Every structure is written in C-alpha cells, then in structure tokens.
Amino acid sequence: MLVLLLAGFTLLNCAYYLYFSRFWIFSKESKTKISKSDSGVSIISCVKNEAPNLPALLESLVKQNYPVFEIIFVNDHSTDHSLDILNAFALRKPNIEIINLQSTHGKKAGITQAVHKAQYDKLLLIDADCIPASPDWLGLMTEKFTKKKQIVLGYGGYKTYKRSVLNTLIRFETLFTAMQYFAYAKAKNAYMGVGRNLAYTKKLFNRAEGFKKHLHHKAGDDDLFVNQNATRENVAICLNPDAFTRSEPEKSWKSWFIQKRRHIGVSHLYKPKHQLQLGLFYISQLAFYSLAIASLTVGYGSIVLPVLLIFRELLVLRVIVKVSIRLKERNLALYTLILEPFMISVQMLIFISNIVVKPQRWN
C-alpha cells in the first residue's frame, strides 16, 4: 500500500514537471527588437528606507535606452535619507517625479497615487532595491505590449552572495517559483507576477479599480493584481536576459521568513483553480518525500521503489537545469536535490506559522 501511494504521488508530481518542461525545455524565447516607438512609459518604484540602494537604481533608470519615459518614485514615510536622495536627483533630471506619501501608508496606496499621476498608459514597476540588467530593460519589457497584451511578466532575480546558505535558498526558491508562473502564463493560465519586474497598462489598472478587491490585505500588489486581472489572452512574458532585474536579498533568516509569510499569506485569495493546481503540486512534492523516506525506513525490497525515485529525480533535475540556464542562475541546479526538500520543509513551517499568527507587515 505504501509503495502504491508513493507511485501515485510520484506520477502526479512527474506530470507537473512534464507540464513545466513543455515551456522550459521545448520552447525558446523569441528574439525581440526594441521598439523605436515614441509611445511613453511611466516607471514606478516605491521607496521605504532604501537610501543605500537608490543611487545605483537612479543611475540605471535614467540611462535606459528609450525615447520617452518618466520615473515616478513614491516615498512611503522613509526615516532614512531616501527622500533627500530622490529630491537631489530630481533637481538634475526633469523626467523624475516624486510622491511623498502623507496620511496614507503602504505600497498599494503609493502605487495607486503613482498610477493616477502617470502621464502614460504603459506602466513598468520595479522595486527600489533592484537593478535592471541592461539599458534595454525598459524597451524589451514594454515591447511585449500589444492591443491584447496588457500585462507583461518579467524575471526578478536576486544578487548572489557566495558561502551563504540563506542566499542560495532565496535564489533557488525564486527560480522555483518562476519555473511555475512563467510556464502557467505560457499555457494561458497566468496566476502571478513579481513587483520587482512587472508591467501593465493604466487602462487595465483603472478598469479593475486598482487594488480595491484586496485593499484590506497589505500584500498582493503584484501577485494578486495579476491573478485577478489576467485572462487567457492579455498576458505576455519577457525572458530576455537583458530585461531581467536583480534585487538585494534579505540578509537574515528572520527577515526572509517574515517576507515569505507575507507572500504566502495571500495565496488563499487566488482564483480557486489556481489554489487547486498549486496545492496539488505542493502536496505531490511533500507526499513524495514523506512516503519515500517511510518506504526506505520500512525497507521495501521491490525494484519499483528505486526506479520511481531515480526517474523522478532525473526529471526534476532536467527541468531545473534548463530553467536555471534560461534565467542565468546556472549554479543553482547543482543543489536541486538538497534544496528542493529543504524548501518544502520551510514552506510547511511558513504555512503553519500563518495559521497560528497572521502576518502584519508589508515591507
């Protein structure tokens, strides 16, 4: 009975990875020519105590290779020198606008004010601790907009710090999540995006009444917005490496744990079909490792068990290797067989924590 359960969950888990492989192994990113259109773009970035990161972001944004764009920064009650840095830079660059939040707090309030102030219909969002991979980031991301495509999903990775277990786990978890949401989007079933590298139109934002449907939740300015407004036809993806962004990762286990609790804490607001699809995938992973350990402990002697284990692990490794190559995270594939079960265990701990105490902080 134990082996039958293991076989069933292994096959279910393999079915998911075969689904992912349709995109990551058997399709390629089409080459994109950067638009020469003079259609303007509004870049939006929310800032909360990001003084150390702002100079690099500012320099990279003003150097974007695009004819017409503005940059709107939202200062959300920073207590460091963030506002001073923004004001000083804005004096030298006429296309920079600054919104200094007063009575309202939070990223959703800041983005909403920035969208209302934006001059252009195309909106491109980036976090204040991010750096675009190249001066062509703006052009490559917004080139994906068409009459039908109103949401563009980009990849937002994290900077690499050697000899850091936490950093390796953060980057692996980010890659693992990207493996899923890009594959789902390619299959016309988009369920999320990341605010580190995300674009959508002002028309879509206004038609959806912004974040009204989930305004009572501090998180979800990116994934919930995409989940509730994506259709089979209005989502495009951009996986050109020159359009990636890199962010500063959390430096402590506690801060990362809080961040993940916030992200996972809104997943119950996803569309029911996505809750089911994502839930079954996680259950198949958890059950695979749990039942495999139990079977090995019992000492089941059939050849079926090692064949199942080897087949599944080789399939997972094949997909992760391909994903890591396309997302320029090549060294992560080496740790797949260790990091995947570790990540699943941490996620279970986060699920339990969110049930016991609901996360409060947005930043």
Side-chain angles (χ1 to χ4, degrees):
M1 182 64 179
L2 191 62
V3 173
L4 289 177
L5 284 174
L6 175 58
F9 281 110
T10 301
L11 291 174
L12 175 60
N13 194 240
C14 288
Y16 272 96
Y17 277 100
L18 289 171
Y19 176 80
F20 301 147
S21 71
R22 292 173 56 206
F23 171 58
W24 292 107
I25 296 178
F26 300 108
S27 68
K28 296 181 179 180
E29 171 74 358
S30 58
K31 293 184 178 180
T32 305
K33 294 182 179 179
I34 299 177
S35 173
K36 296 186 181 299
S37 169
D38 60 358
S39 175
V41 177
S42 296
I43 300 173
I44 297 174
S45 183
C46 290
V47 178
K48 190 178 182 71
N49 297 328
E50 294 286 355
N53 300 313
L54 280 175
L57 173 63
L58 287 161
E59 291 292 344
S60 64
L61 291 184
V62 297
K63 293 179 180 178
Q64 287 298 302
N65 182 25
Y66 200 83
V68 181
F69 66 96
E70 65 174 349
I71 309 169
I72 303 175
F73 284 101
V74 180
N75 177 52
D76 183 13
H77 301 82
S78 296
T79 56
D80 62 4
H81 297 295
S82 294
L83 184 57
D84 294 333
I85 294 172
L86 292 173
N87 284 330
F89 211 86
L91 291 175
R92 297 188 285 122
K93 302 294 180 180
N95 64 334
I96 294 180
E97 295 285 341
I98 300 171
I99 298 174
N100 190 28
L101 292 183
Q102 299 296 329
S103 59
T104 56
H105 289 258
K107 196 172 183 180
K108 288 180 179 177
I111 292 175
T112 300
Q113 288 195 30
V115 171
H116 291 161
K117 190 178 183 63
Q119 299 181 54
Y120 308 113
D121 185 54
K122 297 176 182 177
L123 310 174
L124 181 55
L125 285 76
I126 184 172
D127 282 352
D129 62 348
C130 293
I131 298 293
S134 77
D136 294 326
W137 164 71
L138 193 162
L140 289 168
M141 283 289 292
T142 56
E143 174 66 18
K144 296 294 183 177
F145 281 119
T146 65
K147 289 183 178 180
K148 289 185 177 181
K149 304 299 182 183
Q150 297 176 296
I151 299 173
V152 182
L153 308 181
Y155 178 64
Y158 285 97
K159 295 178 182 178
T160 301
Y161 291 99
K162 296 181 179 180
R163 300 175 184 174
S164 170
V165 175
L166 175 60
N167 178 257
T168 303
L169 178 62
I170 289 173
R171 292 190 300 113
F172 182 81
E173 191 270 339
T174 301
L175 176 141
F176 201 85
T177 303
M179 172 191 73
Q180 298 174 73
Y181 72 77
F182 280 121
Y184 274 82
K186 184 65 175 180
K188 298 184 177 182
N189 188 26
Y191 73 90
M192 68 162 285
V194 293
R196 301 185 301 275
N197 199 5
L198 175 65
Y200 46 78
T201 64
K202 186 173 181 176
K203 289 180 181 177
L204 177 66
F205 186 90
N206 290 334
R207 187 166 65 247
E209 297 184 277
F211 305 119
K212 182 179 180 180
K213 294 179 182 178
H214 47 89
L215 194 60
H216 55 294
H217 288 271
K218 293 183 179 181
D221 56 276
D222 46 11
D223 57 342
L224 285 183
F225 182 83
V226 173
N227 190 267
Q228 295 179 359
N229 293 289
T231 68
R232 289 181 56 84
E233 303 297 334
N234 74 346
V235 178
I237 61 177
C238 181
L239 286 180
N240 188 309
D242 287 336
F244 293 171
T245 64
R246 294 289 171 187
S247 303
E248 282 290 339
E250 297 291 348
K251 301 298 193 302
S252 72
W253 286 91
K254 180 180 179 180
S255 58
W256 177 72
F257 195 79
I258 292 172
Q259 181 189 67
K260 295 313 299 177
R261 285 189 62 204
R262 187 183 78 245
H263 292 166
I264 293 176
V266 298
S267 60
H268 68 283
L269 298 175
Y270 286 2
K271 293 175 182 176
K273 67 173 183 177
H274 294 136
Q275 293 186 49
L276 177 62
Q277 292 163 351
L278 297 171
L280 282 177
F281 178 54
Y282 179 76
I283 290 171
S284 71
Q285 288 179 290
L286 183 62
F288 168 78
Y289 282 106
S290 301
L291 294 172
I293 292 173
S295 299
L296 291 172
T297 302
V298 171
Y300 189 83
S302 171
I303 191 66
V304 174
L305 179 57
V307 169
L308 281 173
L309 295 176
I310 292 172
F311 174 76
R312 190 267 179 187
E313 294 301 291
L314 288 176
L315 174 60
V316 171
L317 191 60
R318 178 73 180 94
V319 176
I320 294 295
V321 166
K322 192 64 177 180
V323 176
S324 63
I325 291 174
R326 292 189 64 180
L327 297 183
K328 303 300 180 183
E329 304 278 11
R330 299 188 182 214
N331 61 327
L332 288 179
L334 299 173
Y335 307 103
T336 299
L337 303 185
I338 298 174
L339 287 178
E340 188 195 14
F342 184 48
M343 180 185 68
I344 293 169
S345 301
V346 173
Q347 288 175 334
M348 176 57 69
L349 182 60
I350 292 173
F351 290 145
I352 295 172
S353 298
N354 280 353
I355 292 174
V356 176
V357 180
K358 292 186 178 181
Q360 298 294 322
R361 291 163 48 178
W362 78 268
N363 195 355

